[in-house]
Every structure is written in structure tokens, then in C-alpha cells.
Amino acid sequence: MDLFLQQTFSGLANGAIYACVALAVVMIYQAIDHFNFAQGEMAMFSTFIAWQLMQWGIPFWLVFPICIVISFAGGVAIERIIFGPIHDAPVLSHVIVFIALFSIFNSLAGFIWEFTIKPFPSPFPEAKLLDTNLIGNHELGMIVVVLFMLSLIYLFFRFTPIGLAMRAAAANPESARLVGISVKWMLSLGWGLAAAIGAVAGMLIAPVVFLEPNMMLGILLYGFAGAVVGGLTSPGGAVAGGLLVGVAENLAGTYLIGSELKLTFALIMIVGVLLLRPAGLFGRVVVNRV
Amino acid sequence: MALLEVKGLEAFYGRTQALHGLDFELEEGGITTILGANGAGKTTTLRSICGMVRNNGAISFDGQALIGQATENIVRQGIAHVPEGRGTFVRITTEENLRLGAYTIKGAREVADGMERVYAYFPRLKERRNQQAGTLSGGEQQMLAVGRALMLRPRLMLLDEPSFGLAPLIVKELFEILRTINREEKVSMLLVEQNATLALNLADHAYLLETGRVVMSGTSDDIASDEAVRQSYLGY
Ligand SMILES: Nc1ncnc2c1ncn2[C@@H]1O[C@H](COP(=O)(O)OP(=O)(O)OP(=O)(O)O)[C@@H](O)[C@H]1O
Ligand SMILES: [Mg+2]
């Protein structure tokens, strides 16, 4: 029983990481209807920017918002400059640009900051907050931050005119233009938000996995798994999906398959969910009658 | 000066040309209808005004040139388009659809007022305000499309076959409401219809379109009493 609890909690801790990434994945998927394969690398690059700012002596609590703003602007710029012009191009062109972005960010980070592993500080206090060994402060803090972001996103999409306009632009661009919404700015905004969420994810993950250009490689796959399991249309589902993947992977690793096959297990979860419930566990099946 | 003035309008889908130099105009406060068989270019005409097809020629609205402007900017000048197929945002509620219609309207008070007016015209929408819009009936979605357009507080409404797929009784009701909107809210209308009797009844002016060209124009009464029109469009 102890082992079970232990593994569940450490799964939740990993799951919090996946949930962060899954949330960013869903945000961009909602805005552009594609997976952004470069998402992880963008988050990694943001984290390096944060690290650089700290090297220059800026305190963490300042670096955090600065990095979010820079990443947001970067996301908007990427959409404006790169994806705007190819908006009507076939899916394959988009995929190729995603892959190009992926390798550009990866090698650029290596070129500027080198491939050596760097420690990244945790924003959360060292002293034990909870009298338990099941979960550490940083992991706990991560879950809290992710849930906080999720509620912000929920409030934004549910209650603000811009949030409603973003949903409208993604679901039905033509009708959106006809009510006066600038669809291309909504797309840019979606990219900006996804990049900002990615930056938060990167800064939360880096203290655990250490900072280096390839830090997001495996994690992005788990993030995708979380997003798919939760349902690509649901930010809440993505977070739940991320946590679920973390726990399931850990328990399966302990009791069933051993730790070597954990990543395979994540892929099996993706395929399994897509086969059995294409909309994901929490995704909304659209009712449509004409 | 006419509110809407169209001169030499051509429109293209890829390399096929759908409109071959249309000329027409619409007086402020009036209702003009464009009639024509399937594929004549009626929808294309409305979509050209909103900048949704590649086109050239001249379109001026209240003295402003529209060609070359982005759809959302054209809309912001007070042109509301009720599109063919209704353009419902299916995943959100009826009320959120109306809220989107008022996207360009600043001020919560104005939006709330607009909502009340739409609900006064279409009480059925009020009953269904929290229902997912994709699950509304065809007639209700048509009301929603008109309501959404009304939320924009337009000066000109473009209506693409609002009677399509509706039961005769609902159609009659809807056209009464359109007439009221035109009179009370001073909204000019450009109406595209298959149902010529209905359209000529509502409109004051009419244009007849054949394969992308205007072949006849005049007051609704003149058009309605024309022998050729009677035989091919009115069916008696
Ligand atoms: N997206 C498109 N791509 C290519 N051709 C098109 C497209 N849309 C319309 N057309 C062509 O343009 C012409 C005019 O079409 P349009 O939709 O304007 O007709 P319409 O008068 O609205 O007809 P209906 O009464 O059937 O709605 C038709 O010949 C049609 O085939
Ligand atoms: Mg048509």
C-alpha cells in the first residue's frame, strides 16, 4: 500500500509537468486546429531566456512575468511572420514549418547557451510545507500553479468578449469575420497565449529535469498523450489527462512493465484513447444539426 | 446619393468568373431584392460586397469604397450579412451567438439593449437562450442569424435566402419581422431569394440576375407584372 501511494504521488508530480505541456498543446490546437510539434522547443527556449535573465542578476519573481511577456510576444510574432503568409497552404506545409521551427529553436538554444546541463532554481521554498514524504514542495507548487492557470484560462474563454471571439474564430472563421472579428489577430493571440503557457510550463519543469536544449523531447510526447487522453477541445480535460498519464505511467511502470517501457506506455495510451473515444475522455462531442 | 452603389462588379472563383460586370444600387431605407435561378450569382454578389470572394469593379457604401477591404472592416461600417446556410456558431449557446453579433458594439448597456430588442422580435430565441445553438431547429437558427445580424446595429442587412428550408407559416412570420425591422430600425436590406413572390412582396426594387449579369431591373411591381418573369419565376 505504501508503495502504491508513493508511486501514485510521484506519478502526480510527473503528471503536473505533462499537464502543463498538455494545456499549452490544447491552447494552440484550439486556435489553429493543428498540433504544434515545436511547442516543446518554444517552451525550452523561453526557459533559457528566463535563465539568461537570472544570470544577469534579475530576481526570479521579476524574471517570471518578464519571460511570460517575451514569450507571448514571440508567439504572436511567429504567427504573424511565419504562419500568416502560409495560412491557406496545405497541412503538409504547416507540418514542415513546425519541424523547421523545432530544429531552429533546438539548435539556436544549443548555439547560444551550449548543450551542457544547467541547474534552474525552484521558485518554491525549500522548507517542508506539508508533513509528508509523498510529495515535495516543488511538485505541489507546480500542481497549484497549473490549476491556477487553468482557472484563468477558463475565466478568459468563458467570460470575456475576446475569449468568446477566439473560440468563434477557431470554430467558424467565416461567420466570425461576418460579425467583425479579425480572425488573423485571434490566431496570433492564440499563439501568444500558447507560448506564454509554454513558458510557464518550461520554468516549472526545468528545476526537475534541468535545463538543456533537449529537455522537452520526451516530455512533449507525454504532453501530447495528456492532451489526447483528456480531449483536445478541453483545457480542463488536458490537465486531467496529463495527471492521469503521469499516474498511469508510474503505476504501470511499477507493477506491470518496468520503467524501460514507460514511454511506450504513453504512446499506447494515445492510440488506445483515439481508438475507443476519439474526442478524448473529457472532450465535448459536438452536436450539430442543420 | 444611393446608400450602396455597385458598378462593373466582377467576381472570380479561381479562374472561373461568376459575375460579369454587375451594376445596381440601393436607396437608404429601401429593400431591394436580387432574383435569379440557381447558380445565377446571387450569393456571390452578397459575398462580394463583404469582401469574401476575389472581385474587382467598384462598390461604394455611403460614399466609402469597399473593394479591397478586409471582411471584418467592411462589417464594422454597418453591413450585416445573414449568410446562406445561416452561419450558426454551433458549439456555443444561443445567447453567446447574439453576444458575438455585438462584437463591434462597445458598452455593456448597448449590448443588453440589443439583446432585449432581438428577444422582443424573436421570443422563441429567449426561451432557448441557454441551448447549444447547433441543436436549434432550422427555423430557430434562421431567426438567430437575423438576430445576430441585428445585434451589430447595421445600416444595411444582406439576407441570403432567409426562407430556405422553413415552413410556410414561419416564413410569413419572418418576413413580417423583416418588414418591421426595415421600418422601425431604418435598416436597409438587400434580399436574395428563390421565392420570388415573397421577395417581390417585401421589396420595393428588384434586379433579375442570369449567369452573372443583370438582365432586368425595376420596381417590384413592374417586375412582378412582367410576362416573362411571371412565367419563369413566379410560376403562374
Ligand atoms: N466556391 C466556389 N468555387 C467555384 N465556383 C463557385 C463557388 N461558389 C460558387 N461558384 C459558382 O459561381 C456561380 C454562382 O454561384 P452562386 O452561389 O453565387 O449562385 P446563387 O445564385 O447563389 O445560387 P443558389 O440559388 O443555388 O444559391 C455558380 O456557377 C457556381 O457554380
Ligand atoms: Mg446562393
Side-chain angles (χ1 to χ4, degrees):
Chain A
M1 194 59 202
D2 258 7
L3 180 66
F4 177 77
L5 267 185
Q6 189 74 48
Q7 289 303 324
T8 304
F9 272 91
S10 98
L12 273 181
N14 287 341
I17 298 178
Y18 309 154
C20 268
V21 178
L23 194 54
V25 166
V26 164
M27 278 298 305
I28 201 105
Y29 186 80
Q30 290 279 56
I32 66 176
D33 229 26
H34 294 308
F35 273 127
N36 176 5
F37 301 109
Q39 186 107 54
E41 303 312 286
M42 285 165 58
M44 172 275 295
F45 203 83
S46 296
T47 313
F48 263 112
I49 291 174
W51 180 84
Q52 185 65 64
L53 291 172
M54 275 186 274
Q55 291 299 300
W56 288 336
I58 304 173
F60 194 101
W61 60 270
L62 248 184
V63 164
F64 199 75
I66 293 177
C67 178
I68 290 175
V69 171
I70 294 178
S71 305
F72 179 88
V76 171
I78 288 177
E79 201 283 331
R80 291 270 84 166
I81 297 167
I82 302 174
F83 287 96
I86 65 160
H87 186 250
D88 298 320
V91 179
L92 206 55
S93 321
H94 285 255
V95 171
I96 287 169
V97 175
F98 284 134
I99 293 171
L101 271 182
F102 179 99
S103 67
I104 288 172
F105 276 121
N106 190 285
S107 29
L108 203 58
F111 175 72
I112 302 175
W113 293 291
E114 297 174 350
F115 283 89
T116 51
I117 291 176
K118 298 175 175 58
F120 193 94
S122 165
F124 306 107
E126 300 250 336
K128 279 249 156 252
L129 291 176
L130 293 185
D131 185 25
T132 169
N133 285 323
L134 288 177
I135 191 158
N137 282 351
H138 185 81
E139 284 73 16
L140 196 63
M142 233 157 68
I143 294 178
V144 171
V145 172
V146 171
L147 291 180
F148 178 69
M149 275 204 300
L150 180 64
S151 22
L152 282 187
I153 290 171
Y154 175 78
L155 293 175
F156 173 75
F157 277 112
R158 190 75 179 72
F159 294 109
T160 70
I162 295 274
L164 183 59
M166 271 185 73
R167 285 195 282 158
N172 194 339
E174 185 142 291
S175 285
R177 282 189 198 100
L178 286 180
V179 296
I181 295 169
S182 169
V183 172
K184 51 183 201 222
W185 274 111
M186 292 302 131
L187 276 177
S188 307
L189 195 59
W191 271 84
L193 284 176
I197 294 168
V200 174
M203 287 186 283
L204 291 176
I205 294 166
V208 184
V209 302
F210 297 109
L211 182 58
E212 51 112 0
N214 295 323
M215 73 182 231
M216 296 299 277
L217 283 186
I219 293 172
L220 186 64
L221 255 183
Y222 286 114
F224 278 155
V228 170
V229 168
L232 288 163
T233 51
S234 152
V239 170
L243 293 172
L244 200 66
V245 169
V247 171
E249 159 207 56
N250 239 15
L251 293 182
T254 311
Y255 293 110
L256 295 176
I257 51 181
S259 54
E260 291 82 8
L261 288 178
K262 271 182 171 182
L263 194 57
T264 318
F265 182 74
L267 292 172
I268 290 172
M269 279 185 86
I270 294 184
V271 175
V273 168
L274 284 179
L275 279 178
L276 297 175
R277 225 184 115 82
L281 297 182
F282 307 94
R284 185 126 67 120
V285 179
V286 181
V287 192
N288 192 1
R289 50 175 287 183
V290 181
Chain B
M1 191 187 63
L3 178 66
L4 182 75
E5 232 169 18
V6 174
K7 281 212 177 73
L9 178 65
E10 301 181 324
F12 304 86
Y13 293 104
R15 289 214 309 258
T16 34
Q17 185 166 358
L19 300 180
H20 304 268
L22 293 196
D23 298 311
F24 66 92
E25 38 179 68
L26 187 153
E27 293 301 326
E28 173 110 56
I31 302 181
T32 295
T33 183
I34 298 179
L35 305 174
N38 292 120
K42 306 181 298 293
T43 297
T44 306
T45 306
L46 296 194
R47 291 173 61 89
S48 297
I49 295 172
C50 284
M52 290 161 33
V53 260
R54 191 162 68 79
N55 56 20
N56 55 55
I59 302 176
S60 86
F61 176 68
D62 198 22
Q64 297 280 322
L66 295 189
I67 283 189
Q69 291 196 43
T71 301
E72 60 267 23
N73 296 331
I74 293 173
V75 166
R76 283 163 182 272
Q77 295 169 39
I79 299 181
H81 189 154
V82 178
E84 191 170 57
R86 302 168 190 136
T88 310
F89 296 100
V90 295
R91 266 188 269 184
I92 58 180
T93 64
T94 302
E95 185 147 317
E96 284 173 319
N97 265 267
L98 292 177
R99 221 166 262 293
L100 277 171
Y103 181 72
T104 55
I105 305 293
K106 301 292 164 238
R109 164 69 59 71
E110 281 77 3
V111 176
D113 282 354
M115 198 86 79
E116 280 318 305
R117 280 184 315 129
V118 170
Y119 285 153
Y121 285 123
F122 304 109
R124 193 114 53 117
L125 292 183
K126 188 167 189 175
E127 288 164 28
R128 309 229 180 287
R129 66 210 283 177
N130 293 320
Q131 186 171 328
Q132 196 180 331
T135 64
L136 294 176
S137 79
E140 288 161 348
Q141 289 196 35
Q142 192 65 62
M143 295 175 199
L144 180 58
V146 173
R148 207 170 50 231
L150 212 50
M151 291 297 290
L152 183 87
R153 287 206 146 275
R155 293 178 64 191
L156 171 63
M157 230 184 212
L158 310 176
L159 296 144
D160 199 338
E161 299 200 37
S163 74
F164 185 80
L166 305 191
L169 212 61
I170 309 271
V171 171
K172 194 159 165 283
E173 198 183 325
L174 181 67
F175 272 62
E176 280 311 316
I177 293 172
L178 290 179
R179 190 190 297 280
T180 313
I181 291 173
N182 168 251
R183 290 206 181 133
E184 313 257 303
E185 322 242 349
K186 309 269 177 287
V187 178
S188 315
M189 295 178 176
L190 183 58
L191 170 70
V192 158
E193 259 301 336
Q194 287 288 335
N195 187 334
T197 316
L198 207 60
L200 288 170
N201 209 340
L202 181 67
D204 41 62
H205 282 80
Y207 289 85
L208 198 61
L209 224 59
E210 254 170 41
T211 53
R213 291 180 182 85
V214 175
V215 291
M216 193 185 289
S217 66
T219 64
S220 300
D221 294 340
D222 288 348
I223 300 277
S225 55
D226 184 271
E227 191 62 30
V229 173
R230 267 217 343 240
Q231 284 182 0
S232 42
Y233 292 97
L234 301 176
Y236 57 81

